[in-house]
Amino acid sequence: MYKIPDQYYFRIHHVRPRFKDDVENVLFYMAHCCATLKELPISEYKEKLNTMIQLYPENAGKTEKTINNWRTEIAALFGFYIEDKNTQKTETGEIAYFLDKEQDLVQFFKFYLFKFQYPGGHLKSDRIKEFIDAGIKFKPAHYILKLLYEADSELGKPLGITKEEATHCIFNDLRVTRDNRDVKEVIDLIVSNRQKKIEYEHGGDITRYAGDILDYMVHANLLDERHGYFYLNHTEMESIMVFINDINYFDGYDSFYGKIINISDLSEVETDWFTYVNKELHVELFKTDLTSYFISDTDQEENLYKTAVDDKISEILEGVGSTKDIGDLGENLIIGHEKVRLVNLGREDLIHLIKKIPTALAVGYDIQSVEEDQRKRYIEVKTTISNRPLKFFGFHLTRNEWDSAQTLNDRYFVYRLMINRSQKIIYILQNPVQLYKQDKIEMRISDGAEISFKENVAEKTELMIWKN
């Protein structure tokens, strides 16, 4: 059994959200909630956010303590809002606004991991003191990616690591987290332990913290997980190199190292930490390339790397501009879908009537399509990308879009396009205003309309790819 020498053992830990198994759906929901609150007095922000948390489908009947824990975990781990004790105000963080607007959970997790470090404001002050006293200064995503990158080069083949190996050879070893141990030494250690068939103490409680970070790195599309091993995702090398070359840390704790620490002084740094994780969120940094989500595996279970993009899909994407623009790409994919729909109806002669509407016209929808009988179909496209299927079906309609929906009635459609690794699904809502009046969907006024619906209300269909 492998054992870290006692003088080097320090168990890394962080806040573990109780919604870990549903984290993608919860993050979209909570980002949306926080984005609607903006800035309020601390007590009012808490009260309103708690009310919203209680409305999440899984939270019916949950105790006030559980709801409070949800709220504080969202703030501590993901920085969705910033409490300023001096002004007694709570302000929604830029990271929440970003996720709510861009609907790109993959990019969100990259931003999150890029800033995540030990120690950090996601820990309570007494825990931060323990990390500083131990001399720890560690960015896990940076180190893991650097290790796997070096391993691929050194070994001449991809190296995947397990949660057990990450826990015992990286996270809980001060030679790594304090002393920044050369990754080549850790590679040699992992390989040697495998050759000697040395086992690791394992189990959920032991590996959970390293496991969390590895799972988040999969959500960020930085790693691929195969049969319990985590490998570099070579389709993301541009982003991976940004992580590897990053040498920046939050410096708010630097003055405390090597000194006797007053915990109240650490508390003063909390606002600075959450400001740090919410700044410099450049939209173009880590932008998700949706073309990779239309790449096929030659063997989904065994082939680690992706094959080339289908030529016909590339034709669809051609002319979109940046293939990383989720909104534009979603609209182009829906145009292709509509063409296939008409062909399947035997009305290929109507394809020329499908038009993408310039944003500058501000008509309240993205696409003008047609029915089999040539009636118009006005389509507003809402696109979301994630690595796993979602069950949160909310979206925002601007005032102009809601007004158009009221005017166009049953000719107005919302296409909620959900793209993930396993499927590309459209949830179609026809006449959302009427659906709201019939209590089939929920709507809340907030600079337009915040819409949420259950899966069985919408027409569910697979995205059809136009092959000219």
Side-chain angles (χ1 to χ4, degrees):
M1 186 72 68
Y2 180 77
K3 187 176 186 299
I4 301 169
D6 290 343
Q7 67 269 32
Y8 297 121
Y9 179 79
F10 184 99
R11 190 186 185 209
I12 286 281
H13 53 271
H14 54 250
V15 173
R16 295 197 81 245
R18 54 207 69 220
F19 46 79
K20 170 71 165 51
D21 293 336
D22 193 28
V23 66
E24 292 180 301
N25 289 290
V26 171
L27 286 174
F28 273 125
Y29 180 78
M30 292 300 296
H32 183 66
C33 292
C34 291
T36 63
L37 294 178
K38 299 180 181 178
E39 183 180 78
L40 292 168
I42 289 176
S43 59
E44 186 177 351
Y45 196 103
K46 285 181 179 179
E47 181 181 349
K48 290 190 174 182
L49 188 54
N50 276 6
T51 299
M52 292 174 171
I53 293 171
Q54 285 178 318
L55 295 175
Y56 187 75
E58 308 298 325
N59 285 342
K62 293 289 178 64
T63 65
E64 183 179 357
K65 180 180 179 181
T66 299
I67 299 301
N68 280 328
N69 286 336
W70 252 57
R71 188 192 72 251
T72 56
E73 287 162 1
I74 279 288
L77 196 54
F78 298 106
F80 275 12
Y81 61 84
I82 305 167
E83 283 188 3
D84 190 329
K85 300 296 195 303
N86 294 323
T87 64
Q88 285 296 300
K89 291 286 184 69
T90 298
E91 180 182 5
T92 296
E94 287 301 316
I95 193 71
Y97 286 123
F98 161 80
L99 182 56
D100 184 53
K101 178 183 178 182
E102 298 296 327
Q103 292 287 295
D104 187 341
L105 198 59
V106 177
Q107 187 182 17
F108 165 83
F109 271 110
K110 287 189 178 78
F111 279 133
Y112 166 69
L113 291 163
F114 192 65
K115 297 288 185 70
F116 187 86
Q117 68 174 62
Y118 303 101
H122 50 88
L123 299 165
K124 293 183 178 179
S125 295
D126 58 336
R127 298 299 186 188
I128 293 174
K129 180 181 183 300
E130 293 176 5
F131 278 73
I132 294 174
D133 287 342
I136 292 171
K137 198 171 185 181
F138 178 55
K139 295 184 85 169
H142 163 82
Y143 193 89
I144 291 167
L145 292 173
K146 185 177 180 181
L147 182 145
L148 294 176
Y149 179 77
E150 290 289 342
D152 285 6
S153 175
E154 183 174 319
L155 302 176
K157 62 180 181 180
L159 174 73
I161 60 171
T162 66
K163 291 181 178 181
E164 291 79 12
E165 289 168 337
T167 297
H168 296 283
C169 298
I170 300 174
F171 277 72
N172 291 349
D173 194 326
L174 287 171
R175 289 170 292 187
V176 173
T177 60
R178 180 190 64 196
D179 304 333
N180 193 27
R181 189 178 192 180
D182 191 318
V183 294
K184 292 182 179 180
E185 293 182 19
V186 179
I187 294 167
D188 292 342
L189 173 63
I190 291 171
V191 172
S192 175
N193 285 350
R194 289 183 184 180
Q195 292 171 343
K196 296 174 183 177
K197 300 188 184 313
I198 294 176
E199 296 182 351
Y200 299 91
E201 192 175 1
H202 61 278
D205 187 56
I206 295 169
T207 63
R208 63 176 52 176
Y209 300 108
D212 282 351
I213 299 301
L214 290 170
D215 288 339
Y216 293 151
M217 292 176 77
V218 172
H219 291 323
N221 215 29
L222 297 168
L223 300 181
D224 283 322
E225 188 269 331
R226 293 289 187 272
H227 309 296
Y229 289 83
F230 294 81
Y231 298 84
L232 277 188
N233 179 359
H234 282 245
T235 67
E236 288 277 1
M237 286 310 299
E238 183 178 348
S239 293
I240 287 169
M241 294 311 298
V242 172
F243 273 80
I244 290 174
N245 293 326
D246 174 51
I247 58 173
N248 296 308
Y249 281 83
F250 172 66
D251 60 8
Y253 302 119
D254 287 359
S255 62
F256 295 99
Y257 285 85
K259 297 180 180 178
I260 297 175
I261 300 172
N262 187 326
I263 289 180
S264 62
D265 291 336
L266 288 173
S267 300
E268 294 293 322
V269 184
E270 183 176 293
T271 300
D272 295 336
W273 163 261
F274 289 113
T275 300
Y276 164 76
V277 299
N278 276 284
K279 70 179 183 180
E280 298 179 357
L281 303 178
H282 304 301
V283 174
E284 292 306 315
L285 182 63
F286 303 135
K287 194 78 171 177
T288 302
D289 187 349
L290 265 72
T291 57
S292 67
Y293 282 70
F294 292 86
I295 295 173
S296 60
D297 291 343
T298 55
D299 185 335
Q300 190 169 3
E301 281 300 310
E302 300 299 332
N303 183 23
L304 181 61
Y305 302 113
K306 310 300 182 184
T307 57
V309 179
D310 182 273
D311 289 340
K312 294 299 181 182
I313 293 175
S314 296
E315 290 175 13
I316 295 172
L317 300 176
E318 188 175 352
V320 175
S322 169
T323 60
K324 297 180 179 181
D325 189 318
I326 290 177
D328 283 350
L329 181 54
E331 291 165 18
N332 278 268
L333 290 169
I334 293 302
I335 286 175
H337 175 90
E338 286 297 287
K339 290 179 179 180
V340 177
R341 182 177 64 83
L342 288 177
V343 169
N344 290 345
L345 291 170
R347 295 308 308 264
E348 189 171 357
D349 59 306
L350 300 179
I351 284 177
H352 69 283
L353 297 176
I354 300 173
K355 306 290 184 183
K356 183 175 180 180
I357 308 301
T359 303
L361 295 181
V363 294
Y365 50 86
D366 299 312
I367 296 167
Q368 178 181 291
S369 186
V370 291
E371 306 291 357
E372 184 179 6
D373 60 6
Q374 299 192 43
R375 286 179 302 153
K376 294 291 191 291
R377 176 182 285 218
Y378 302 99
I379 301 170
E380 175 62 27
V381 182
K382 302 294 182 182
T383 307
T384 294
I385 180 171
S386 62
N387 267 332
R388 297 190 302 185
L390 299 173
K391 59 182 180 182
F392 172 61
F393 301 107
F395 59 89
H396 177 78
L397 290 179
T398 66
R399 292 179 182 178
N400 191 38
E401 290 162 357
W402 182 253
D403 289 344
S404 294
Q406 289 180 308
T407 301
L408 297 170
N409 297 312
D410 69 340
R411 295 295 85 217
Y412 192 92
F413 295 74
V414 176
Y415 280 34
R416 187 74 170 95
L417 175 58
M418 313 284 272
I419 298 174
N420 61 71
R421 287 292 176 194
S422 61
Q423 57 189 16
K424 288 81 185 168
I425 299 294
I426 309 170
Y427 295 91
I428 301 175
L429 293 176
Q430 181 179 6
N431 197 351
V433 174
Q434 183 65 24
L435 291 174
Y436 168 65
K437 291 178 179 178
Q438 295 172 345
D439 292 327
K440 292 183 178 179
I441 65 174
E442 295 182 7
M443 188 274 287
R444 181 169 53 83
I445 300 297
S446 178
D447 193 24
E450 303 295 342
I451 307 293
S452 60
F453 63 95
K454 294 183 178 178
E455 185 175 2
N456 60 2
V457 172
E459 176 190 344
K460 180 179 177 181
T461 183
E462 289 191 15
L463 175 69
M464 296 182 289
I465 301 299
W466 172 247
K467 298 185 179 182
N468 193 1

